[in-house]
Amino acid sequence: MKKIIVVALMFGTLIGYANEHTNDNELNAKKTVKVEFSNVKKGQTLAIKNGEGVTVYNNEIKNSGSYSKTFDFSALEDGIYTAELNKDFEIVMKQFYVKNGLVTFLNNKNEKIFKPVIRAEGNLLYVSKIAFNNKPLKVVIYYNSEPILSETIKGGEILKRVYKLSENEIGNYKVSISTDDRSYVKDFTI
């Protein structure tokens, strides 16, 4: 009888200890979350994406200044999600996970991805990107839907190139850039 009581007490203590540490994380979990960003501009977008990159929410910012919206994520499936504020030259991201209808943010700081800057002037194409993460930049240039150049730029925190296109080849061009598991496309005409 004494052995059974001792085992029961030890088991109860272990469960109490496990619940105590589980509840530390769950204390920060909430059903509703207020998402806030400062210095937003009209026309920027806020998207919520699941772990596979599928957009489950997308909204265009209507006013410049501060943005604040309360979300109820309790209906989302369990998993990791990302809130992304898509700005002119950067994407600001914050990751969170949903478990049993409760939301917990993974860290307190925002992650930033800098977008490439693509500019066409006459027959010159300028491509640049801040790459503090040292990720390569794959550039493909198309002329009338046919690829005419493909290059991967790497090495350094600032990636940049100037491409001189033929003045004799007048028509529709497209540049496709891939980096940070994202793609960017710009159409232009010479």
Side-chain angles (χ1 to χ4, degrees):
M1 184 71 169
K2 287 182 182 180
K3 287 183 183 180
I4 293 173
I5 292 174
V6 169
V7 170
L9 286 173
M10 288 176 57
F11 184 68
T13 303
L14 286 173
I15 289 176
Y17 180 77
N19 284 340
E20 179 181 318
H21 286 286
T22 302
N23 289 338
D24 286 347
N25 285 340
E26 290 176 359
L27 287 176
N28 295 326
K30 299 181 170 129
K31 284 189 177 188
T32 60
V33 175
K34 189 175 194 178
V35 176
E36 297 178 309
F37 291 101
S38 57
N39 300 321
V40 299
K41 292 182 183 175
K42 182 179 177 180
Q44 295 175 345
T45 58
L46 174 66
I48 309 288
K49 295 183 179 182
N50 67 14
E52 288 81 44
V54 176
T55 302
V56 295
Y57 173 83
N58 192 24
N59 186 36
E60 185 176 308
I61 306 293
K62 302 290 183 213
N63 299 310
S64 296
S66 295
Y67 176 84
S68 176
K69 182 169 174 90
T70 301
F71 290 93
D72 180 357
F73 292 131
S74 61
L76 292 177
E77 294 180 12
D78 289 357
I80 295 177
Y81 293 82
T82 306
E84 297 184 357
L85 178 62
N86 198 336
K87 298 178 113 180
D88 296 333
F89 299 107
E90 67 185 1
I91 300 170
V92 180
M93 301 179 303
K94 186 129 184 116
Q95 279 196 325
F96 60 93
Y97 71 86
V98 175
K99 184 173 181 182
N100 298 325
L102 297 175
V103 177
T104 305
F105 282 91
L106 297 176
N107 59 41
N108 288 332
K109 60 182 198 173
N110 295 332
E111 182 183 340
K112 289 183 182 180
I113 292 179
F114 292 97
K115 294 175 168 181
V117 177
I118 307 164
R119 194 177 78 221
E121 289 182 11
N123 67 326
L124 297 177
L125 176 65
Y126 300 90
V127 174
S128 62
K129 182 182 182 307
I130 296 172
F132 293 135
N133 59 7
N134 291 316
K135 297 259 179 131
L137 188 70
K138 181 171 171 122
V139 179
V140 181
I141 301 173
Y142 299 87
Y143 173 65
N144 291 332
S145 302
E146 295 294 323
I148 59 171
L149 178 118
S150 180
E151 174 185 27
T152 300
I153 306 168
K154 50 185 159 180
E157 293 181 345
I158 297 179
L159 306 173
K160 56 185 172 179
R161 287 285 192 276
V162 177
Y163 299 98
K164 185 173 183 179
L165 305 170
S166 173
E167 294 174 345
N168 299 330
E169 300 294 329
I170 296 172
N172 297 318
Y173 287 82
K174 176 169 75 171
V175 61
S176 173
I177 296 178
S178 301
T179 185
D180 298 310
D181 298 323
R182 297 170 186 270
S183 295
Y184 308 87
V185 176
K186 179 174 177 81
D187 294 312
F188 60 100
T189 303
I190 293 182

